Amino acid sequence: MEVVLLGTGAADGWPNPFCRCASCVDAAATSEIRGQTAALVDDTLMLDCGPEIPGAAARFGRSLAGVRYVLVTHAHSDHLGPQMLLSRSWVHGLGELQLVGPAEALDTCRDWVGPDDPVTFVPVAAGDRIQLGDYDVRVLPARHRVFADGDAVLYDVTGADGARFLWATDTGMWPRPFFDSVAGARYDTVFLEETFGDHDDLSSGHLGLNGFRKMVESMRAVGAATDSTDLVAVHLGHHNPPVGELRRRLAEVGARPGRDGETVTVGGVASIDGTTRGHRTFVTGGARSGKSRYAEALLGDAAEVVYVAAGGRRADDPDWARRVELHRARRPASWTTLETTDVPGVLRSASSPILIECLGTWLTARLDHHEVWDSGDLTGVRGDVAELLDAWQSCEAPVVAVSNEAGSGVVPATASGRLFRDELGRLNAAIADTSDSVVLMVAGQALTIR
């Protein structure tokens, strides 16, 4: 299953737009912007839909036209914006929509549905189990409430391929009997709220870092979570420490913070258009734009990453060696570095996440190898590019590739410079066209293109 996180923030987002605390200032400065928490599964099933979410989907390049099921956890306004039903009714021919949730939450939606709109209300309570198309959904209790006990729930979702995840927002610390409902589940992914950081005393209906840790430990104790479970913290608020510190704190329990726009593959690699592969992210930008640090941060929560220095070794270039050493020093010790131009081979044999840096140096190495600077014959390089694109599209592990934006408005003075600019532009366009996510870095700021 492919789960797109349309938002990973608390009700007021992170940063809170009215706040100047250190956590909010840091989030803004590092472009760690989080909106209200919600997710889109396989473009078919939604988990919560606050008022910000339709707009977030559009910004992340996702259409909601194919959504057939919406699972609502409760009626708090950041999880349920019933006005989306009115917006949907203005588009004809979308087919039936099943709105699933506690009866109290569904009641707030009824006045937003036109008399002829194909919207079906499916009230559920903790302990229920329903089949929604290819999805087997179990309804679980939440230690949370709007007006009365039981008017908030969580969801346990299993796809047709057997992949299984837990959507656990919002909830406080479960009492011991609640864990019986997930014993032995062995979730592939758990999306678990972590709202208040070190201030979890602010609400018994939400988790802070201490409560998050206890929930994870209790899930592992009953076999709901295992060492291979992807633990993703969502519903993150500005009571948390700055995100760098938060990543470190969550990593202590084997978890990581979710990111808005992130695609999470539940249950291993995804199958899209009949091709088995992992998620592909392309990061491009000018010199010193922050693209390398951004790309490294994307995989910063992974225990093992293969870092591919795609230009190969440069024995006679001490400046290059210093640059490589600086990059190596700031990466986690658990990462493996490969200095090679055989990027297609690495992609085809990948079992761990991969970071390729960068396509510009790889292209330069291939131009050198085929002696294009002297001959002008691009046949061999074009063949290498075709092989790279094929491996990129079929890679079974998550992969991030970094490249340069060369010649943005400046015509190189030499023929070789113009040749390189043109070939890199073609390569970048081809990689971007076959990527799931595309990010442009400008002056240290990340602009999501796709």
Side-chain angles (χ1 to χ4, degrees):
M1 287 186 288
E2 179 191 67
V3 179
V4 179
L5 293 175
L6 299 178
T8 58
D12 51 351
W14 185 16
N16 179 313
F18 302 98
C19 183
R20 294 175 179 168
C21 73
S23 183
C24 285
V25 169
D26 175 79
T30 57
S31 297
E32 292 273 0
I33 311 300
R34 289 174 165 82
Q36 296 166 350
T37 293
L40 177 63
V41 182
D42 299 332
D43 292 328
T44 300
L45 181 147
M46 285 192 70
L47 290 146
D48 285 329
C49 188
E52 296 179 354
I53 299 309
R59 285 191 295 276
F60 294 133
R62 293 286 176 161
S63 171
L64 302 183
V67 173
R68 295 292 172 262
Y69 318 103
V70 178
L71 302 182
V72 179
T73 56
H74 60 291
H76 279 150
S77 60
D78 57 316
H79 294 265
L80 178 59
Q83 59 269 34
M84 62 94 175
L85 295 170
L86 177 62
S87 301
R88 184 182 186 275
S89 72
W90 296 337
V91 180
H92 298 290
L94 291 182
E96 183 179 353
L97 176 70
Q98 293 188 53
L99 197 64
V100 181
E104 297 85 351
L106 301 187
D107 287 343
T108 68
C109 300
R110 297 184 187 277
D111 290 341
W112 292 91
V113 178
D116 298 322
D117 288 347
V119 177
T120 302
F121 294 93
V122 184
V124 295
D128 290 347
R129 185 170 184 171
I130 58 174
Q131 189 73 30
L132 300 173
D134 292 333
Y135 305 99
D136 179 17
V137 179
R138 298 173 66 235
V139 186
L140 302 179
R143 192 181 174 193
H144 195 76
R145 56 183 287 173
V146 182
F147 295 113
D149 291 343
D151 63 3
V153 298
L154 311 178
Y155 292 104
D156 172 343
V157 180
T158 304
D161 59 356
R164 188 176 183 183
F165 70 86
L166 173 64
W167 183 254
T169 178
D170 296 3
T171 184
M173 182 64 195
W174 277 2
R176 180 57 53 187
F178 281 20
F179 288 97
D180 294 341
S181 61
V182 297
R186 300 181 64 83
Y187 291 111
D188 296 294
T189 306
V190 170
F191 300 98
L192 179 61
E193 76 135 289
E194 195 285 286
T195 307
F196 285 128
D198 291 318
H199 304 277
D200 52 2
D201 56 319
L202 292 174
S203 170
S204 62
H206 285 290
L207 297 173
L209 283 165
N210 188 47
F212 185 95
R213 175 183 57 79
K214 290 180 178 178
M215 280 284 285
V216 169
E217 290 174 350
S218 295
M219 286 184 186
R220 286 181 172 142
V222 299
T226 69
D227 290 341
S228 62
T229 300
D230 187 11
L231 299 170
V232 184
V234 294
H235 207 267
L236 299 162
H238 70 129
H239 292 287
N240 276 288
V243 71
E245 173 67 8
L246 177 63
R247 285 196 180 96
R248 187 189 68 77
R249 298 278 297 277
L250 288 172
E252 292 174 356
V253 294
R256 61 185 181 84
R259 300 185 310 273
D260 286 26
E262 175 185 358
T263 299
V264 179
T265 300
V266 177
V269 297
S271 178
I272 298 177
D273 299 330
T275 303
T276 302
R277 58 168 178 76
H279 188 79
R280 299 162 300 178
T281 303
F282 178 50
V283 181
T284 185
R288 301 299 182 187
S289 62
K291 57 187 182 293
S292 295
R293 288 186 180 275
Y294 180 86
E296 291 168 5
L298 289 178
L299 296 174
D301 302 310
E304 296 181 3
V305 174
V306 176
Y307 179 95
V308 182
R313 295 180 178 272
R314 299 185 184 182
D316 300 324
D317 191 340
D319 179 65
W320 177 258
R322 283 193 296 271
R323 287 171 178 262
V324 169
E325 188 57 37
L326 286 172
H327 276 248
R328 192 193 303 267
R330 76 182 185 215
R331 297 193 295 268
S334 61
W335 288 22
T336 300
T337 300
L338 293 178
E339 297 181 59
T340 179
T341 60
D342 185 19
V343 178
V346 175
L347 291 171
R348 290 195 176 100
S349 62
S351 58
S352 301
I354 297 174
L355 174 55
I356 301 168
E357 189 168 4
C358 74
L359 296 183
T361 55
W362 176 83
L363 179 62
T364 299
R366 302 321 295 163
L367 289 165
D368 289 343
H369 174 76
H370 292 288
E371 301 180 342
V372 173
W373 311 117
D374 296 325
S375 68
D377 183 0
L378 289 163
T379 304
V381 171
R382 297 278 171 82
D384 291 344
V385 169
E387 185 180 3
L388 174 67
L389 290 171
D390 180 72
W392 173 258
Q393 292 178 75
S394 61
C395 182
E396 296 188 2
V399 56
V400 178
V402 177
S403 191
N404 300 295
E405 288 299 307
S408 297
V410 178
V411 178
T414 64
S416 59
R418 292 190 291 272
L419 182 150
F420 175 77
R421 175 202 61 182
D422 292 346
E423 291 306 306
L424 183 60
R426 293 187 181 98
L427 173 58
N428 285 351
I431 289 287
D433 189 54
T434 54
S435 296
D436 301 295
S437 304
V438 180
V439 176
L440 174 65
M441 295 298 299
V442 179
Q445 306 303 304
L447 305 178
T448 301
I449 307 301
R450 176 182 300 159

